[in-house]
Amino acid sequence: MVTRYANRGKWLESAVIASDLIYRGRGIGYVEKLATPTRQLGPERFIRTRGTVDFMGHFLGLPLAFDAKATRQASLPHSNVKPHQVEAIDNFSKGGGLGFLLVCFERDDIGCTYAVTPQWYEQAKLDLWPRVSIPSHHFKTASVDNNQEVVEVLHGDNGVPVGFGPASKKLKALVDVKGLKNGLQKDGL
């Protein structure tokens, strides 16, 4: 049996794009999907080259960059997250922007999405070594334990991410506040 990954994450990508329409309509954000860079090897052969992140834009005036990762497993395999992606998000955050991994567990019995900082992701890998993945309950525990680096994303009835849950208070830690705390509460996020 051959495992195909061609459509892995398509639902999450569609949900992010649908969320963008909501945020854009409210005038509070804009997110754009970045194309995966390719290189031509011959007349009809292309290969994907190393890119940076999946999405860039702004949220409440703050630059935004994130990579979306979806899994149908009960854990996020480290092989799904490439070191250069974590590095790009970390560098973006150090430059004053909001950079994170958006991790979606697509299984019906889990069905949660989390925004996590690259620092939390790297520390979780170390803490759980020699595991080759981070279980969904590790994300859940961190989001409930008032961890400032893991935020659960709320979904509307149609499954589209519509905001941040109890995390709205925690989002300020990801955003590095810059006067946005009141903006998040005012907009109901």
Side-chain angles (χ1 to χ4, degrees), residues 4 6 45 104 119 137 157:
R4 299 193 191 276
R45 263 187 78 199
C104 178
Q119 297 82 9
H137 65 80
D157 293 337

Side-chain angles (χ1 to χ4, degrees), residues 4-168:
R4 299 193 191 276
Y5 298 106
N7 290 321
R8 180 177 62 190
K10 286 293 181 191
W11 176 88
L12 180 58
E13 182 179 308
S14 298
V16 168
I17 292 168
S19 297
D20 171 54
L21 295 174
I22 294 168
Y23 295 145
R24 215 182 313 171
R26 290 181 176 177
I28 60 173
Y30 170 77
V31 174
E32 185 173 324
K33 169 87 170 108
L34 301 179
T36 303
T38 58
R39 186 170 56 128
Q40 190 167 4
L41 292 179
E44 295 183 23
R45 263 187 78 199
F46 293 88
I47 61 165
R48 291 179 180 208
T49 59
R50 193 171 99 163
T52 54
V53 295
D54 291 338
F55 296 93
M56 291 189 92
H58 66 86
F59 183 70
L60 293 173
L62 187 68
L64 179 74
F66 63 96
D67 212 80
K69 300 296 176 188
T71 180
R72 291 186 181 109
Q73 301 174 26
S75 60
L76 175 68
H78 298 321
S79 61
N80 285 17
V81 182
K82 306 296 183 235
H84 73 272
Q85 294 168 326
V86 174
E87 182 182 352
I89 293 167
D90 190 39
N91 287 334
F92 191 84
S93 296
K94 287 176 182 173
L98 173 58
F100 58 91
L101 289 170
L102 188 66
V103 180
C104 178
F105 293 95
E106 294 179 332
R107 282 178 40 164
D108 290 339
D109 60 329
I110 300 171
C112 288
T113 304
Y114 301 94
V116 302
T117 64
Q119 297 82 9
W120 182 88
Y121 173 77
E122 289 295 326
Q123 188 60 52
K125 277 175 54 176
L126 291 174
D127 292 347
L128 296 170
W129 189 86
R131 283 188 64 111
V132 294
S133 63
I134 302 173
S136 62
H137 65 80
H138 198 72
F139 288 85
K140 183 68 169 178
T141 301
S143 73
V144 178
D145 287 349
N146 213 12
N147 185 318
Q148 299 296 301
E149 297 183 281
V150 179
V151 173
E152 186 171 357
V153 179
L154 294 180
H155 295 268
D157 293 337
N158 57 358
V160 173
V162 293
F164 300 96
S168 60

